[in-house]
Amino acid sequence: MTTFAVADSATMLRRNLKHQLRYPSLTLMLAGFPIVFLLLFVYVFGGQLGSGLGGTVAPQGDRGAYLTYLVPGILIVTVASAALGTAISVASDMTGGIIDRFRTMAITRAAVLTGHVVGSVLQTLAVLVLVTAVALALGFRSGASALDWLAAAAILLLFAFALIWLSAALGLAARSVETASNTPMFLTLLPFLSSGFVPTGTMPAGLRQFAEYQPFTPVTQTVRALLSGGPVGSNAVAAVAWSVGIAFASYLWALRLYDRRRAADPA
């Protein structure tokens, strides 16, 4: 049974990767959004925002200091933005008739969703590499070791895995592709209400409490500590706990919605 589940999921993964290669515009669009924000915040707001960072980052000038602070936040925005594509592709499958064809075939229950999720994680990895390359070209330099870079990549991909499962569930809950393209938008707003762009200590009291306890902040702080070569502290535990919790809850929700849509919309 396990062998069939892996084989079916691999088949669905190949299908989604072929779609991504055939239509690279979506991948480029997912990379374009964080790159535009990176350029905007560094070159328009970086001078002013960098002057308020104090000694929290390397003293390489206001704009350079802000670039060092900002890049982990931009990487989190990249993960959140890439998750949006999953909701759209899942909703397209559910409304386009291809799921009806899959229902007539002996395919493992979760294979369709697993193919979408794993394909999106690989797409997110490609987009993260592209955004990181742009950040390095702008002057971002890290004091992290190779092991720290791998740990930062693992934290980002684990969080991406969680958000993509959540986005897949939102795509299943949507009744149209248009709705699916709008429902997960809150994922791209939450990084702005975290420590991704400015320290939480500069925020008003109520907003600061929300920012400090929402999942994007410990993930951002963990990646920032790893890329700077510093200690991650308890943020790493919170980042992993949030990621595993969101992934597990979203996985169960997505399977339930998939079965319900099958029952409600029989072939």
Side-chain angles (χ1 to χ4, degrees), residues 145-245:
S145 64
L147 188 60
D148 290 333
W149 275 98
L150 288 175
I155 290 292
L156 287 169
L157 291 179
L158 179 61
F159 195 53
F161 181 72
L163 295 188
I164 287 169
W165 266 115
L166 176 59
S167 185
L170 293 172
L172 287 165
R175 288 295 174 179
S176 68
V177 177
E178 290 77 13
T179 302
S181 66
N182 295 323
T183 307
M185 287 300 292
F186 72 93
L187 293 176
T188 62
L189 297 178
L190 286 176
F192 294 94
L193 304 178
S194 71
S195 64
F197 290 80
V198 294
T200 57
T202 64
M203 300 178 182
L207 181 58
R208 181 173 66 248
Q209 289 182 340
F210 174 79
E212 289 176 347
Y213 292 103
Q214 61 123 322
F216 283 79
T217 291
V219 178
T220 304
Q221 290 297 93
T222 302
V223 173
R224 181 170 288 130
L226 289 168
L227 294 186
S228 66
V232 296
S234 60
N235 285 315
V237 176
V240 172
W242 271 113
S243 299
V244 172

Side-chain angles (χ1 to χ4, degrees), residues 89-107:
S89 57
V90 168
S92 297
D93 273 0
M94 295 302 293
T95 59
I98 189 65
I99 296 298
D100 292 339
R101 293 190 61 187
F102 291 152
R103 288 175 189 165
T104 65
M105 305 165 69
I107 296 177

Side-chain angles (χ1 to χ4, degrees), residues 38-39 41-43 46-47 49-50 53 57-58 60-74 131 134-141 196 224 227:
L38 178 63
L39 296 173
F41 274 83
V42 169
Y43 289 109
L49 293 174
L53 291 175
V57 293
Q60 49 184 267
D62 292 345
R63 186 167 284 110
Y66 188 62
L67 176 63
T68 302
Y69 183 87
L70 177 66
V71 167
I74 290 295
V131 173
V134 172
L136 292 172
L138 293 180
F140 174 72
R141 297 295 180 266
R224 181 170 288 130
L227 294 186

Side-chain angles (χ1 to χ4, degrees), residues 5 8-9 12 107-116 165 251 255 258:
D8 291 345
S9 298
M12 292 299 164
I107 296 177
T108 308
R109 179 187 172 206
V112 175
L113 296 178
T114 302
H116 274 293
W165 266 115
Y251 171 77
L255 285 187
Y258 186 74

Side-chain angles (χ1 to χ4, degrees), residues 116-141:
H116 274 293
V117 170
V118 177
S120 294
V121 170
L122 295 176
Q123 184 183 44
T124 302
L125 176 60
V127 174
L128 282 171
V129 170
L130 182 58
V131 173
T132 302
V134 172
L136 292 172
L138 293 180
F140 174 72
R141 297 295 180 266

